[in-house]
Amino acid sequence: MDKLQYQTLGEFIIGNQDDFLYSSGELSRLINSIRLAAKTVNHKVNKAGLVDIVGAAGGINNHGEDQQKLDVYADQIFIKALTNRQIVCGIASEENDDFIVVQGSDKSNQNKYVVLIDPLDGSSNIDVNVSVGTIFSIYTRVTPTGSPVQIEDFIQPGHRQVAAGYIVYGTSTMLVYTTGNGVNGFTLNPAIGTFYLSHPNMEIPADGHIYSINEGYYNHFSEGVKEYLKYCQEDEDDRPYTARYIGSLVSDIHRNILKGGIYIYPQTSKSPNGKLRLLYECNPMAFLIEQAGGLASDGHKRIMDIVPTELHQRIPFFAGSKNMVEKAMYFLNKSVH
Ligand code: P6P
């Protein structure tokens, strides 16, 4: 492999420092803190079956979901890594009802970035040894520097993200991120704890043959979604497609970026706004997918144009290969008119 393939994450960040507007080295500190947390969580995820860290922690998160022990652990690790390095002024997490104000030693905080995280997405898969992930989204604060962050710093539309990414703890551990100049994937060499640039300039094929949706809810889908599924399953052109649904957003999206495909979590009669959270699941994934050449919609509008109203709001999510998402939108909008 050529020199580029062996580039470490640290070398890549320094080499692309200019991607992060107005950064005085904050990109490297911010992504490095995420890298450190990722390695720590990865270590625990890889041993989950051996130590008493698998299973429910006994808590319930903001969405009424049982908090798995690794959920809580990952949340603590990422918050600590981001707080200790004096990099951000605020953090919001799926595992915490409210956002966290990060104050400097002098109680003020001159840092200008806020981070929103899903610390361990797909955690229900932990007990059955299926891959899980972490998702992060980074914005520049909009309230005055030095003052405690406010909710307005977090509920920003996705097109204002300055960086976003995910870590997938799978057969190998990868960190994939964008700062708005394409998408790059780094694979962890666990023997030496270094991430290497294994997937430079990731691009999602415009067409794919994989659709990812939980068809167990079929009877609760809209007519438009049902018609699109019927289209995917028809025996003509290059169909039927293949159904692949891991139940872990990071893993399904990662595979679909590499191979082409569409991920759908639609609204249903039971979940009128779908299940996925706009701010720390859909927006970061939308940023990555658009940067890789794909599309991300709520069924009617671009995900990253949606103006959020609350921290944990849910949104229907159709994301992946451009032509597949456009076809799905055709069926959704056809059935409405
Ligand atoms: P369901 C995990 O809880 C998650 O947020 C995503 O990672 C995953 O794609 C989806 O929910 C699975 O939800 O309702 O199909 O089990």
Side-chain angles (χ1 to χ4, degrees):
M1 289 195 284
D2 65 32
K3 173 86 179 70
L4 183 66
Q5 295 289 314
Y6 286 105
Q7 199 171 22
T8 68
L9 174 57
E11 290 162 349
F12 183 85
I13 290 170
I14 290 165
N16 294 276
Q17 192 71 38
D18 298 343
D19 290 351
F20 219 49
L21 287 179
Y22 324 115
S23 164
S24 53
E26 279 150 327
L27 165 68
S28 49
R29 284 167 41 217
L30 191 35
I31 301 287
N32 277 331
S33 66
I34 290 171
R35 172 177 62 172
L36 173 68
K39 288 197 285 192
T40 309
V41 170
N42 176 63
H43 181 67
K44 275 284 191 283
V45 166
N46 286 346
K47 295 196 311 181
L50 299 175
V51 295
D52 178 29
I53 201 148
V54 173
I60 301 281
N61 69 14
N62 175 62
H63 319 287
E65 297 162 344
D66 288 341
Q67 285 184 314
Q68 301 295 320
K69 287 181 183 171
L70 261 177
D71 271 336
V72 174
Y73 174 79
D75 186 49
Q76 291 164 350
I77 291 294
F78 276 94
I79 288 172
K80 199 166 105 191
L82 290 165
T83 306
N84 291 353
R85 298 250 183 131
Q86 289 300 314
I87 307 159
V88 300
C89 51
I91 304 166
S93 161
E94 180 193 41
E95 300 305 326
N96 298 272
D97 295 351
D98 206 350
F99 59 83
I100 296 164
V101 177
V102 179
Q103 289 190 323
S105 44
D106 61 353
K107 293 292 178 215
S108 77
N109 188 325
Q110 300 307 314
N111 298 315
K112 49 181 174 295
Y113 297 113
V114 297
V115 180
L116 298 98
I117 51 170
D118 181 354
L120 207 67
D121 174 72
S123 52
S124 56
N125 285 313
I126 295 165
D127 291 353
V128 293
N129 206 10
V130 170
S131 59
V132 293
T134 297
I135 310 170
F136 61 90
S137 171
I138 303 171
Y139 291 86
T140 304
R141 70 179 299 174
V142 294
T143 55
T145 302
S147 62
V149 284
Q150 308 291 330
I151 185 66
E152 294 81 2
D153 295 309
F154 297 94
I155 54 172
Q156 300 187 49
H159 62 74
R160 288 209 204 125
Q161 291 173 97
V162 292
Y166 58 79
I167 298 104
V168 51
Y169 308 101
T171 45
S172 62
T173 295
M174 278 193 72
L175 187 153
V176 176
Y177 81 94
T178 183
T179 55
N181 294 281
V183 180
N184 291 282
F186 301 81
T187 300
L188 178 68
N189 177 342
I192 53 175
T194 302
F195 282 97
Y196 286 93
L197 179 61
S198 53
H199 296 68
N201 194 27
M202 292 167 72
E203 292 180 342
I204 185 168
D207 269 309
H209 297 84
I210 294 171
Y211 65 98
S212 308
I213 186 170
N214 186 337
E215 292 192 66
Y217 305 138
Y218 181 84
N219 292 332
H220 302 282
F221 290 158
S222 69
E223 282 313 308
V225 171
K226 289 179 179 176
E227 280 193 40
Y228 178 63
L229 291 180
K230 186 161 160 283
Y231 168 82
C232 294
Q233 294 156 1
E234 274 167 354
D235 235 336
E236 57 183 79
D237 296 338
D238 54 358
R239 288 164 283 136
Y241 294 155
T242 295
R244 286 283 183 277
Y245 189 72
I246 298 174
S248 177
L249 176 68
V250 172
S251 305
D252 280 317
I253 295 287
H254 183 68
R255 180 207 50 244
N256 290 355
I257 289 178
L258 294 177
K259 292 180 177 281
I262 184 170
Y263 174 99
I264 300 174
Y265 207 108
Q267 69 191 75
T268 68
S269 46
K270 291 166 73 174
S271 311
N273 294 313
K275 174 184 181 184
L276 300 188
R277 291 76 168 185
L278 172 59
L279 287 175
Y280 40 79
E281 289 178 323
C282 300
N283 269 336
M285 287 310 192
F287 192 13
L288 287 159
I289 283 169
E290 286 198 8
Q291 282 290 311
L295 293 178
S297 167
D298 70 348
H300 303 287
K301 69 187 292 190
R302 180 182 180 233
I303 288 286
M304 293 210 284
D305 287 340
I306 294 170
V307 179
T309 52
E310 54 184 77
L311 202 53
H312 299 287
Q313 80 183 72
R314 300 175 190 268
I315 203 87
F317 193 53
F318 299 75
S321 294
K322 180 175 177 298
N323 298 347
M324 296 182 85
V325 174
E326 284 175 347
K327 181 62 83 174
M329 294 307 103
Y330 164 76
F331 282 103
L332 259 70
N333 296 310
K334 179 166 86 89
S335 69
V336 168
H337 303 110

